[in-house]
Amino acid sequence: MKKIAAIGEAMLELSHQSDTTLALSFAGDTLNFAIYLRRLLPIHPQQFDIHYVTAIGNDPYSDTMLTNWQQEKLNTDLVVRVKKKLPGLYLIRTNTAGERTFYFYRQHSAAKEFFNDSHAIDLLQPLLTMDYLYLSGIVLAILDPSSRERLWALLEEAKKKGLKIIFDTNYRAVLWPSQQSAKEAIEHTLPWVDIALPTLLDEQALFSDANAEACAQRLLKKGITEIVVKCGAEPAFVATMNQQTSVPACTSEKVIDTTGAGDSFNAAYMAARLLGWEPIKAAQWGHRLAATVITCPGAIIPKTIMPHLY
């Protein structure tokens, strides 16, 4: 059995149904990845165990979140419950092209505490039994400096033990005190990364990469051996030690909401790779799922319209 742990922040998602009516859901970049990955990979026989690792409160909304994840067949054994804390919350507004604007309420989110001194000790050993760890720049951003150091210590130990580290930069300027602090934290993380799944716009904002190929070349020089640079509706750029090529995106007839598109691409790409497919074919599946996700509101689409990998 392969064990994959996605580490990060899950939030309450409120999306507009009209100007005054909101729909409640649950999302977060690494949670979106974990849910889509679990949906795409076979459950029987039990070949893949997908863990979600975060902190939530003891409130009714946190209870509902946990139940929802369990219904999605995620392993929630490593979800930390924090007293007197609540999940973060965000609202989404989309324009006529499906592009979204987020409004966050997460200053006191429970997830900011899941790697503090009292919880990190309990998480360390279980996480080191995994085969893969998945994280993003958002978890780096929400942790305080001491917790971030503990996370880096985990990555260093995981690398020594042969775990594969998967990383999506997912740069959100509003979460960082400065662009330079984000750049430094992400650069500090890269030496432990095996598979990078960045978005070109994020990389350009931080590292001024001229294009997707330049981004991939920079990451290859960091020792990362498998890279897919996502470029929205433009071709993704796949780079390994043996090949470098562009993979055209799939088209969607009508774009409703681009929330979660990149996370779903990452999940389909990794699901295909875990099933033994080559990177180019895996990227094609990433595009296919992302093209479906953007035709629905919210980050998580109904199971009934999920494409199947096998």
Side-chain angles (χ1 to χ4, degrees), residues 25-306:
S25 186
F26 314 109
D29 64 336
T30 58
L31 175 64
N32 303 338
F33 169 86
I35 287 174
Y36 283 125
L37 186 69
R38 176 68 283 172
R39 288 182 179 184
L40 290 166
L41 290 172
I43 293 179
H44 302 293
Q46 186 68 11
Q47 298 173 291
F48 303 97
D49 189 15
I50 315 299
H51 293 250
Y52 192 59
V53 186
T54 191
I56 54 178
N58 284 314
D59 57 286
Y61 290 105
S62 293
D63 292 341
T64 304
M65 292 171 86
L66 195 63
T67 299
N68 174 265
W69 304 341
Q70 291 165 349
Q71 290 171 344
E72 290 282 357
K73 309 300 183 185
L74 292 178
N75 189 319
T76 59
D77 291 352
L78 300 181
V79 174
V80 175
R81 306 298 295 263
V82 182
K83 294 180 179 179
K84 298 181 180 180
K85 290 289 183 179
L86 297 169
L89 178 149
Y90 71 97
L91 292 88
I92 305 173
R93 298 186 74 95
T94 54
N95 63 20
T96 54
E99 291 301 324
R100 72 272 197 227
T101 304
F102 298 101
Y103 299 87
F104 291 99
Y105 301 83
R106 73 196 322 168
Q107 185 63 35
H108 302 291
S109 167
K112 292 188 173 189
E113 300 194 12
F114 83 95
F115 231 74
N116 66 16
D117 191 44
S118 60
H119 298 126
I121 295 173
D122 294 333
L123 289 172
L124 180 61
Q125 291 307 315
L127 286 172
L128 290 175
T129 68
M130 302 292 160
D131 298 289
Y132 296 84
L133 300 179
Y134 177 90
L135 69 157
S136 79
I138 289 179
V139 71
L140 297 178
I142 67 170
L143 295 180
D144 62 46
S146 295
S147 296
R148 199 179 299 149
E149 290 288 345
R150 293 187 195 97
L151 178 61
W152 283 331
L154 165 69
L155 297 181
E156 183 170 5
E157 189 64 22
K159 190 76 169 181
K160 290 177 183 176
K161 288 183 174 291
L163 279 70
K164 297 294 186 183
I165 312 300
I166 310 161
F167 183 61
D168 181 350
T169 309
N170 219 354
Y171 171 56
R172 297 293 179 265
V174 70
L175 297 179
W176 292 94
S178 68
Q179 185 184 68
Q180 184 60 28
S181 64
K183 183 176 179 179
E184 289 174 359
I186 288 165
E187 285 193 315
H188 190 86
T189 306
L190 293 179
W192 296 300
V193 174
D194 296 283
I195 302 171
L197 302 170
T199 297
L200 180 59
L201 289 177
D202 294 343
E203 302 301 292
Q204 289 178 323
L206 287 173
F207 301 102
S208 302
D209 294 323
N211 51 42
E213 184 175 359
C215 174
Q217 292 298 328
R218 174 176 54 81
L219 294 173
L220 284 169
K221 290 177 183 177
K222 295 288 185 180
I224 301 171
T225 56
E226 185 170 342
I227 300 150
V228 184
V229 184
K230 305 184 296 289
C231 303
E234 299 301 315
F237 191 81
V238 176
T240 67
M241 303 305 291
N242 300 318
Q243 64 177 355
Q244 297 182 30
T245 188
S246 294
V247 180
C250 299
T251 58
S252 298
E253 289 186 7
K254 185 176 183 181
V255 178
I256 301 297
D257 185 352
T258 59
T259 306
D263 307 324
S264 66
F265 179 101
N266 293 355
Y269 179 85
M270 284 310 307
R273 294 291 285 131
L274 288 165
L275 291 170
W277 297 7
E278 292 300 314
I280 293 173
K281 189 175 181 182
Q284 291 170 343
W285 271 103
H287 282 312
R288 179 172 175 182
L289 179 56
T292 305
V293 167
I294 63 177
T295 64
C296 297
I300 305 295
I301 63 175
K303 291 182 182 179
T304 53
I305 63 172
M306 285 285 297

Side-chain angles (χ1 to χ4, degrees), residues 5-31:
I7 303 169
E9 179 186 31
M11 304 181 73
L12 304 175
E13 176 190 89
L14 295 176
S15 54
H16 277 272
Q17 307 299 291
S18 69
D19 286 343
T20 57
T21 303
L22 297 165
L24 173 64
S25 186
F26 314 109
D29 64 336
T30 58
L31 175 64

